Amino acid sequence: MTAEGGGTNWFPINEAYRVEGQYIPYDRPHTIEVANLLGDIDKVSVPGVVMFKLNGEPLKVEPIAEPGDKEFWFIFRDLTSGKESYPAARFLTMPAPTNGKIVLDFNMAENPPCAYNPFTTCPLPPEQNRLRVRVEAGEKAYSGHP
């Protein structure tokens, strides 16, 4: 469905937004505080940082994961947020790194549940995951936002 029909709408698939990153684990996972839309704070585990280039721009993001998790979860915002994409954040879940490498496929970035339901709340991206570039990939803003 498209946004005009009240359903979801996605940027066209673009291989430029599927990038390989270098995963650099921290000596010990960091615990950071992540605020949600209501102002509540959750403490989450960040095992390391992912360094990558997007459209030639060097960037980094921190995943949320517990030791032994098979997936890394990223909460991010970019310069499309509040315009073409959902204002608060988008989510990206990718398989955990192998041999220090991880693929970030922003074509798979999704809106959080709060984009569709006024009775949910969602975490906001930590400062280090607020990308200063446009990520024209993944799910766009939902036209029927509550």
Side-chain angles (χ1 to χ4, degrees):
M1 293 177 109
T2 65
E4 294 78 38
T8 61
N9 192 9
W10 296 71
F11 287 97
I13 301 278
N14 184 338
E15 284 300 312
Y17 290 99
R18 186 178 191 276
V19 297
E20 183 176 86
Q22 176 70 40
Y23 172 64
I24 302 164
Y26 295 136
D27 290 337
R28 292 182 23 204
H30 295 178
T31 299
I32 64 169
E33 293 183 344
V34 174
N36 66 30
L37 287 172
L38 297 178
D40 297 327
I41 304 292
D42 289 317
K43 292 185 179 192
V44 298
S45 180
V46 174
V49 64
V50 176
M51 316 261 310
F52 63 102
K53 283 190 177 182
L54 190 60
N55 296 326
E57 187 78 26
L59 301 167
K60 61 183 177 179
V61 289
E62 288 184 330
I64 295 172
E66 293 293 333
D69 281 357
K70 296 190 185 311
E71 293 182 322
F72 276 10
W73 181 45
F74 300 88
I75 307 165
F76 76 96
R77 183 183 296 163
D78 66 278
L79 297 181
T80 68
S81 299
K83 298 172 184 82
E84 296 96 331
S85 65
Y86 184 64
R90 288 189 283 166
F91 295 167
L92 181 64
T93 303
M94 292 281 104
T98 304
N99 298 321
K101 302 289 183 190
I102 183 171
V103 173
L104 300 175
D105 189 347
F106 289 98
N107 293 291
M108 299 174 68
E110 299 178 300
N111 288 333
C114 55
Y116 308 102
N117 184 337
F119 302 105
T120 62
T121 188
C122 295
L124 297 170
E127 185 63 38
Q128 58 273 29
N129 288 6
R130 296 177 187 184
L131 304 176
R132 309 283 191 254
V133 297
R134 291 178 58 80
V135 178
E136 296 174 356
E139 192 170 7
K140 290 184 175 183
Y142 176 56
S143 67
H145 181 270

Coordinates of all heavy atoms in Angstrom, one line a residue, residues 40-107:
D40 N 10.2 8.9 29.7 CA 10.7 7.8 30.6 C 12.1 7.4 30.1 O 12.4 7.6 28.9 CB 9.8 6.6 30.6 CG 8.4 6.9 31.1 OD1 8.3 7.7 32.0 OD2 7.5 6.3 30.6
I41 N 12.9 6.9 30.9 CA 14.3 6.5 30.6 C 14.4 5.0 30.8 O 14.0 4.4 31.8 CB 15.3 7.2 31.5 CG1 15.2 8.7 31.4 CG2 16.7 6.8 31.2 CD1 15.5 9.3 30.1
D42 N 15.0 4.3 29.7 CA 15.3 2.9 29.8 C 16.9 2.8 29.8 O 17.5 3.6 29.0 CB 14.7 2.1 28.7 CG 13.2 2.0 28.8 OD1 12.7 1.7 29.9 OD2 12.6 2.2 27.7
K43 N 17.4 1.9 30.5 CA 18.8 1.6 30.4 C 19.0 0.4 29.5 O 18.3 -0.6 29.6 CB 19.4 1.3 31.8 CG 19.4 2.5 32.6 CD 20.1 2.3 34.0 CE 20.0 3.7 34.7 NZ 20.8 3.7 35.9
V44 N 19.9 0.5 28.5 CA 20.1 -0.5 27.5 C 21.6 -0.8 27.4 O 22.5 0.1 27.7 CB 19.5 -0.1 26.1 CG1 18.0 0.0 26.2 CG2 20.2 1.1 25.5
S45 N 21.9 -1.9 26.8 CA 23.3 -2.4 26.7 C 23.8 -2.1 25.3 O 23.1 -2.5 24.3 CB 23.4 -3.9 27.0 OG 24.8 -4.3 26.8
V46 N 24.9 -1.4 25.2 CA 25.6 -1.1 23.9 C 26.9 -1.8 23.8 O 27.8 -1.5 24.6 CB 25.8 0.4 23.7 CG1 26.5 0.7 22.4 CG2 24.4 1.1 23.7
P47 N 27.1 -2.8 23.0 CA 28.3 -3.6 23.0 C 29.5 -3.0 22.3 O 30.6 -3.5 22.4 CB 27.9 -4.9 22.3 CG 26.8 -4.5 21.4 CD 26.1 -3.4 22.1
G48 N 29.2 -2.0 21.4 CA 30.3 -1.5 20.6 C 29.8 -0.4 19.7 O 28.7 0.1 19.8
V49 N 30.6 -0.1 18.7 CA 30.2 0.9 17.7 C 30.4 0.4 16.3 O 31.3 -0.5 16.1 CB 31.0 2.2 17.9 CG1 32.5 2.0 17.7 CG2 30.5 3.4 17.1
V50 N 29.6 0.8 15.4 CA 29.7 0.4 14.0 C 30.1 1.7 13.2 O 29.4 2.7 13.2 CB 28.4 -0.2 13.4 CG1 28.5 -0.5 11.9 CG2 28.0 -1.4 14.2
M51 N 31.2 1.6 12.5 CA 31.7 2.6 11.6 C 31.5 2.3 10.2 O 31.7 1.1 9.8 CB 33.2 2.8 11.8 CG 33.7 2.8 13.3 SD 33.9 4.3 14.1 CE 34.9 5.3 13.2
F52 N 31.0 3.2 9.4 CA 30.6 2.9 8.0 C 30.6 4.2 7.2 O 30.7 5.3 7.7 CB 29.3 2.2 7.9 CG 28.1 3.0 8.4 CD1 27.3 3.7 7.5 CD2 27.8 3.2 9.7 CE1 26.2 4.5 7.9 CE2 26.8 4.0 10.2 CZ 25.9 4.6 9.3
K53 N 30.5 4.1 5.9 CA 30.4 5.2 5.0 C 29.1 5.1 4.3 O 28.7 4.0 3.8 CB 31.5 5.3 4.0 CG 32.8 5.8 4.6 CD 33.8 6.1 3.5 CE 35.1 6.6 4.1 NZ 36.1 7.0 3.1
L54 N 28.4 6.2 4.2 CA 27.1 6.3 3.5 C 27.2 7.5 2.5 O 27.4 8.6 3.0 CB 26.0 6.5 4.4 CG 24.6 6.3 3.9 CD1 24.3 4.9 3.3 CD2 23.5 6.6 4.9
N55 N 27.1 7.2 1.2 CA 27.3 8.2 0.2 C 28.6 9.0 0.4 O 28.6 10.2 0.3 CB 26.1 9.2 0.1 CG 24.8 8.4 -0.3 OD1 24.9 7.5 -1.1 ND2 23.7 8.8 0.3
G56 N 29.6 8.3 0.8 CA 31.0 8.9 0.9 C 31.2 9.6 2.3 O 32.3 10.0 2.6
E57 N 30.2 9.6 3.1 CA 30.2 10.3 4.4 C 30.6 9.3 5.5 O 29.9 8.3 5.7 CB 28.9 11.0 4.7 CG 28.9 11.8 5.9 CD 29.5 13.2 5.6 OE1 29.5 13.7 4.5 OE2 29.9 13.8 6.6
P58 N 31.7 9.5 6.3 CA 32.0 8.6 7.4 C 31.0 8.8 8.5 O 30.8 10.0 8.9 CB 33.4 9.0 7.8 CG 33.6 10.3 7.2 CD 32.7 10.5 6.1
L59 N 30.4 7.7 9.0 CA 29.4 7.8 10.1 C 29.6 6.7 11.1 O 30.4 5.7 10.8 CB 28.0 7.6 9.5 CG 27.6 8.7 8.4 CD1 26.3 8.2 7.7 CD2 27.4 10.0 9.1
K60 N 29.0 6.8 12.2 CA 29.0 5.7 13.2 C 27.7 5.7 13.9 O 27.0 6.7 14.1 CB 30.2 5.8 14.1 CG 30.2 7.1 15.0 CD 31.5 7.1 15.8 CE 31.5 8.4 16.6 NZ 32.7 8.5 17.4
V61 N 27.3 4.5 14.3 CA 26.1 4.2 15.1 C 26.4 3.2 16.2 O 27.3 2.4 16.0 CB 24.9 3.8 14.3 CG1 24.4 4.9 13.4 CG2 25.2 2.5 13.5
E62 N 25.7 3.2 17.3 CA 25.8 2.2 18.3 C 24.6 1.4 18.3 O 23.4 1.9 18.3 CB 26.0 2.9 19.7 CG 27.3 3.6 19.9 CD 27.5 4.1 21.3 OE1 26.5 4.5 21.9 OE2 28.6 4.2 21.7
P63 N 24.8 0.0 18.3 CA 23.6 -0.9 18.4 C 23.2 -1.2 19.8 O 24.0 -0.9 20.8 CB 24.2 -2.2 17.7 CG 25.7 -2.1 18.1 CD 26.0 -0.7 18.1
I64 N 22.0 -1.7 20.0 CA 21.6 -2.2 21.3 C 21.6 -3.7 21.2 O 21.0 -4.2 20.2 CB 20.2 -1.6 21.6 CG1 20.2 -0.1 21.8 CG2 19.6 -2.3 22.8 CD1 18.9 0.5 21.9
A65 N 22.3 -4.3 22.1 CA 22.3 -5.8 22.1 C 22.9 -6.3 23.4 O 23.7 -5.6 24.0 CB 23.2 -6.3 20.9
E66 N 22.4 -7.4 23.8 CA 22.9 -8.1 25.0 C 24.0 -9.1 24.6 O 23.9 -9.5 23.4 CB 21.8 -8.8 25.8 CG 20.8 -7.9 26.4 CD 21.3 -7.0 27.5 OE1 22.3 -7.5 28.2 OE2 20.8 -5.9 27.7
P67 N 24.9 -9.4 25.4 CA 25.9 -10.4 25.0 C 25.3 -11.7 24.5 O 24.3 -12.2 25.1 CB 26.7 -10.7 26.3 CG 26.5 -9.5 27.1 CD 25.2 -9.0 26.8
G68 N 25.7 -12.2 23.4 CA 25.2 -13.4 22.8 C 24.0 -13.2 21.9 O 23.6 -14.2 21.2
D69 N 23.5 -12.0 21.8 CA 22.4 -11.7 20.8 C 22.8 -12.0 19.4 O 23.9 -11.7 19.0 CB 21.9 -10.3 20.9 CG 21.0 -10.0 22.1 OD1 20.7 -11.0 22.9 OD2 20.6 -8.9 22.3
K70 N 21.9 -12.5 18.6 CA 22.2 -12.9 17.2 C 21.8 -11.7 16.3 O 22.1 -11.7 15.1 CB 21.4 -14.1 16.8 CG 21.9 -15.3 17.6 CD 21.3 -16.6 17.0 CE 21.7 -17.8 17.8 NZ 23.0 -18.0 18.2
E71 N 21.2 -10.7 16.9 CA 20.8 -9.5 16.1 C 21.3 -8.2 16.8 O 21.3 -8.2 18.1 CB 19.3 -9.4 15.8 CG 18.9 -10.5 14.9 CD 17.4 -10.4 14.6 OE1 16.6 -10.0 15.6 OE2 17.0 -10.7 13.5
F72 N 21.6 -7.2 16.1 CA 21.8 -5.9 16.6 C 20.6 -5.0 16.2 O 20.1 -5.1 15.1 CB 23.1 -5.3 16.0 CG 24.3 -5.7 16.7 CD1 24.4 -6.7 17.7 CD2 25.5 -5.0 16.4 CE1 25.6 -7.1 18.3 CE2 26.7 -5.4 17.0 CZ 26.7 -6.4 18.0
W73 N 20.2 -4.2 17.2 CA 19.1 -3.3 17.0 C 19.6 -1.8 17.0 O 20.3 -1.4 17.9 CB 18.0 -3.5 18.0 CG 16.8 -2.7 17.9 CD1 16.0 -2.5 16.8 CD2 16.1 -2.1 19.0 NE1 15.0 -1.7 17.1 CE2 15.0 -1.4 18.5 CE3 16.3 -1.9 20.4 CZ2 14.1 -0.7 19.2 CZ3 15.5 -1.2 21.1 CH2 14.3 -0.6 20.6
F74 N 19.2 -1.1 16.0 CA 19.6 0.3 15.9 C 18.4 1.2 15.9 O 17.4 1.0 15.2 CB 20.4 0.6 14.6 CG 21.6 -0.3 14.4 CD1 21.6 -1.5 13.8 CD2 22.9 0.2 14.8 CE1 22.7 -2.3 13.7 CE2 24.0 -0.5 14.7 CZ 23.9 -1.8 14.1
I75 N 18.4 2.2 16.7 CA 17.4 3.3 16.7 C 18.1 4.5 16.2 O 19.1 4.9 16.7 CB 16.9 3.6 18.2 CG1 16.5 2.3 18.9 CG2 15.8 4.6 18.1 CD1 16.4 2.6 20.4
F76 N 17.6 5.0 15.0 CA 18.3 6.1 14.4 C 17.3 7.2 13.9 O 16.2 6.9 13.7 CB 19.2 5.7 13.3 CG 18.5 5.3 12.0 CD1 18.4 6.2 11.0 CD2 18.0 4.0 11.9 CE1 17.8 5.8 9.8 CE2 17.3 3.6 10.7 CZ 17.2 4.6 9.7
R77 N 17.9 8.3 13.7 CA 17.2 9.5 13.1 C 18.1 10.0 12.1 O 19.3 9.9 12.2 CB 16.8 10.5 14.2 CG 16.0 11.7 13.6 CD 15.8 12.7 14.7 NE 15.0 12.2 15.8 CZ 14.9 12.7 17.0 NH1 15.6 13.8 17.3 NH2 14.1 12.2 17.9
D78 N 17.6 10.6 11.0 CA 18.4 11.2 10.0 C 17.8 12.5 9.5 O 16.7 12.9 10.0 CB 18.7 10.2 8.8 CG 17.4 9.9 8.1 OD1 16.6 9.0 8.6 OD2 17.2 10.5 7.0
L79 N 18.3 13.1 8.4 CA 17.8 14.3 7.9 C 16.5 14.2 7.1 O 15.9 15.2 6.7 CB 18.9 15.1 7.1 CG 20.1 15.5 7.9 CD1 21.1 16.2 7.0 CD2 19.8 16.3 9.1
T80 N 16.0 13.0 6.9 CA 14.6 12.8 6.4 C 13.6 12.8 7.5 O 12.4 13.0 7.2 CB 14.5 11.6 5.5 OG1 14.5 10.4 6.4 CG2 15.5 11.5 4.4
S81 N 14.0 12.7 8.7 CA 13.1 12.5 9.9 C 12.3 13.8 10.0 O 12.8 14.9 10.0 CB 13.8 12.3 11.1 OG 14.5 11.1 11.1
G82 N 11.0 13.7 10.1 CA 10.1 14.8 10.2 C 9.7 15.4 8.9 O 8.8 16.3 8.8
K83 N 10.3 14.9 7.8 CA 9.9 15.3 6.5 C 9.4 14.1 5.7 O 8.2 13.9 5.8 CB 11.2 15.9 5.8 CG 11.7 17.1 6.5 CD 13.1 17.5 5.9 CE 13.7 18.7 6.6 NZ 14.4 18.3 7.8
E84 N 10.2 13.3 5.1 CA 9.8 12.1 4.4 C 9.6 10.9 5.3 O 8.7 10.1 5.1 CB 10.7 11.7 3.3 CG 10.9 12.7 2.2 CD 12.1 13.6 2.4 OE1 12.5 13.9 3.5 OE2 12.6 14.0 1.4
S85 N 10.3 10.9 6.4 CA 10.2 9.7 7.3 C 9.7 10.2 8.7 O 9.6 11.3 9.0 CB 11.6 9.0 7.5 OG 12.5 9.8 8.1
Y86 N 9.3 9.2 9.5 CA 8.7 9.4 10.8 C 9.6 10.3 11.6 O 10.8 10.1 11.7 CB 8.4 8.1 11.5 CG 7.7 8.2 12.8 CD1 6.4 8.8 12.9 CD2 8.3 7.9 14.0 CE1 5.8 8.9 14.1 CE2 7.7 8.0 15.2 CZ 6.4 8.6 15.2 OH 5.8 8.7 16.4
P87 N 9.1 11.3 12.3 CA 9.9 12.3 13.0 C 10.8 11.8 14.2 O 11.9 12.2 14.3 CB 8.9 13.3 13.6 CG 7.6 13.1 12.8 CD 7.7 11.7 12.3
A88 N 10.2 10.9 15.0 CA 10.9 10.4 16.2 C 12.2 9.6 15.9 O 13.2 9.8 16.4 CB 10.0 9.7 17.1
A89 N 12.0 8.6 15.0 CA 13.1 7.6 14.8 C 12.6 6.6 13.8 O 11.4 6.4 13.5 CB 13.5 7.0 16.1
R90 N 13.6 5.8 13.4 CA 13.3 4.5 12.7 C 14.1 3.4 13.3 O 15.1 3.7 14.0 CB 13.5 4.6 11.2 CG 12.5 5.5 10.5 CD 12.6 5.5 9.0 NE 13.8 6.3 8.5 CZ 14.3 6.3 7.3 NH1 13.8 5.4 6.4 NH2 15.3 7.1 7.0
F91 N 13.7 2.2 13.1 CA 14.4 1.1 13.7 C 15.0 0.2 12.6 O 14.5 0.1 11.5 CB 13.4 0.1 14.4 CG 12.8 0.7 15.6 CD1 11.7 0.1 16.2 CD2 13.2 1.9 16.2 CE1 11.1 0.6 17.4 CE2 12.6 2.4 17.4 CZ 11.6 1.7 17.9
L92 N 16.2 -0.3 12.8 CA 16.9 -1.2 11.9 C 17.4 -2.4 12.7 O 18.2 -2.2 13.7 CB 18.0 -0.5 11.2 CG 18.8 -1.3 10.2 CD1 17.9 -1.7 9.0 CD2 20.0 -0.5 9.7
T93 N 17.0 -3.6 12.3 CA 17.5 -4.8 13.0 C 18.3 -5.6 11.9 O 17.9 -5.8 10.9 CB 16.4 -5.7 13.5 OG1 15.6 -4.9 14.4 CG2 16.9 -6.9 14.2
M94 N 19.6 -5.9 12.3 CA 20.5 -6.6 11.4 C 21.2 -7.7 12.1 O 21.3 -7.7 13.3 CB 21.6 -5.6 10.9 CG 21.1 -4.5 10.0 SD 20.9 -5.1 8.3 CE 19.1 -5.2 8.2
P95 N 21.5 -8.8 11.4 CA 22.3 -9.9 12.0 C 23.6 -9.3 12.7 O 24.2 -8.4 12.2 CB 22.6 -10.8 10.9 CG 21.6 -10.5 9.8 CD 21.3 -9.1 10.0
A96 N 23.9 -9.9 13.8 CA 25.1 -9.5 14.5 C 26.4 -9.6 13.6 O 26.3 -10.4 12.7 CB 25.3 -10.3 15.8
P97 N 27.4 -8.9 13.9 CA 28.6 -9.0 13.1 C 29.3 -10.3 13.0 O 29.2 -11.1 14.0 CB 29.5 -7.9 13.7 CG 28.9 -7.4 14.9 CD 27.5 -8.0 15.1
T98 N 30.0 -10.5 11.9 CA 30.8 -11.7 11.8 C 32.2 -11.2 11.4 O 32.3 -10.4 10.5 CB 30.2 -12.6 10.6 OG1 28.9 -12.9 10.9 CG2 31.0 -13.9 10.5
N99 N 33.2 -11.7 12.2 CA 34.6 -11.3 11.9 C 34.7 -9.8 11.8 O 35.5 -9.3 11.0 CB 35.1 -12.0 10.6 CG 35.1 -13.5 10.7 OD1 35.4 -14.0 11.8 ND2 34.7 -14.1 9.6
G100 N 34.0 -9.1 12.7 CA 34.2 -7.6 12.8 C 33.4 -6.8 11.7 O 33.6 -5.6 11.6
K101 N 32.7 -7.5 10.9 CA 31.9 -6.9 9.8 C 30.4 -7.0 10.0 O 30.0 -8.1 10.5 CB 32.3 -7.5 8.4 CG 33.7 -7.4 8.1 CD 34.2 -6.0 7.8 CE 35.6 -5.9 7.3 NZ 36.2 -4.6 7.3
I102 N 29.7 -6.0 9.7 CA 28.2 -6.0 9.7 C 27.6 -5.3 8.5 O 28.2 -4.3 8.1 CB 27.7 -5.5 11.1 CG1 26.2 -5.6 11.2 CG2 28.1 -4.0 11.3 CD1 25.6 -5.3 12.5
V103 N 26.6 -5.8 8.0 CA 25.9 -5.2 6.9 C 24.8 -4.4 7.5 O 24.0 -4.9 8.3 CB 25.4 -6.2 5.8 CG1 24.5 -5.5 4.8 CG2 26.5 -6.9 5.2
L104 N 24.7 -3.1 7.1 CA 23.6 -2.2 7.5 C 22.8 -2.0 6.2 O 23.2 -1.3 5.3 CB 24.1 -0.9 8.0 CG 25.0 -1.0 9.3 CD1 25.5 0.4 9.6 CD2 24.2 -1.6 10.4
D105 N 21.6 -2.5 6.2 CA 20.7 -2.3 5.0 C 19.6 -1.4 5.4 O 18.5 -1.8 5.9 CB 20.2 -3.7 4.5 CG 19.5 -3.5 3.1 OD1 19.2 -2.4 2.7 OD2 19.2 -4.6 2.5
F106 N 19.8 -0.1 5.1 CA 18.8 0.9 5.5 C 17.5 0.8 4.7 O 16.5 1.4 5.1 CB 19.4 2.3 5.4 CG 20.4 2.6 6.5 CD1 21.8 2.4 6.2 CD2 20.0 3.0 7.7 CE1 22.7 2.7 7.2 CE2 21.0 3.2 8.7 CZ 22.3 3.1 8.5
N107 N 17.5 0.0 3.6 CA 16.3 -0.3 2.9 C 15.3 -1.0 3.8 O 14.1 -1.0 3.5 CB 16.6 -1.1 1.6 CG 17.4 -0.3 0.6 OD1 16.9 0.6 0.0 ND2 18.7 -0.7 0.4

